[in-house]
Amino acid sequence: LDASKPRLGSKVEIFGLKRAPEFNGVQGVIAAPFSNGRHPVRIANRRRPINIKPINILLIGGFNKDPVFASGALLNSFVEVLTEECQKVKSQVDQSSAMITEKRFKEL
C-alpha cells in the first residue's frame, strides 16, 4: 500500500478545479474506494461525496479513524450505488413490461 496515495479515510484538500472552483481549497475525507478514475470525497455540509480526479487532490496527512464516520461514509456510498442500480433495473423492468403489454394487445 502506497502511503502517498489517498485511501479510504485519508484527509485531503481539493484544488485546481475549473468547472467547480467553489470546491478549491475545501478539505474533506476519502469516503469510498477509488472508482471510475476518481476519488469520492466527503466534505462538510454535503449529503453526497463529490468525485474528484487524483490530480486535483492533495493528501494533507492523517486519517479519520473514527469508526462511526468511516462506516457511515462507506454505508452511504453503498446505498447510493444500490439506489442507482435499483433505478436501472426498474427502468429495464418497465421497458420489458411495456413491450409485453404491447405484444399482448396486438395479439387481441
Side-chain angles (χ1 to χ4, degrees):
L1 200 62
D2 186 348
S4 67
K5 292 186 179 179
R7 61 178 193 238
L8 186 63
S10 295
K11 293 180 183 178
V12 297
E13 184 172 322
I14 300 166
F15 71 96
L17 299 179
K18 292 182 177 113
R19 290 189 180 171
E22 65 273 17
F23 294 118
N24 290 332
V26 173
Q27 294 183 0
V29 177
I30 302 296
F34 184 76
S35 174
N36 296 323
R38 297 171 189 261
H39 291 284
V41 178
R42 183 161 307 279
I43 60 174
N45 301 321
R46 281 191 61 94
R47 190 175 139 264
R48 298 179 72 172
I50 56 175
N51 296 314
I52 306 293
K53 292 179 183 177
I55 196 164
N56 297 112
I57 291 178
L58 175 65
L59 184 62
I60 57 176
F63 295 91
N64 189 331
K65 296 179 182 175
D66 178 356
V68 173
F69 175 86
S71 62
L74 193 54
L75 180 61
N76 285 342
S77 296
F78 285 132
V79 167
E80 290 169 10
V81 168
L82 287 174
T83 300
E84 291 170 9
E85 291 302 313
C86 286
Q87 289 171 345
K88 289 178 190 174
V89 170
K90 182 184 180 309
S91 176
Q92 291 172 346
V93 168
D94 290 345
Q95 289 174 353
S96 295
S97 294
M99 289 172 47
I100 291 169
T101 300
E102 184 179 328
K103 182 178 176 184
R104 287 184 179 163
F105 183 74
K106 286 180 180 178
E107 290 174 353
L108 294 176

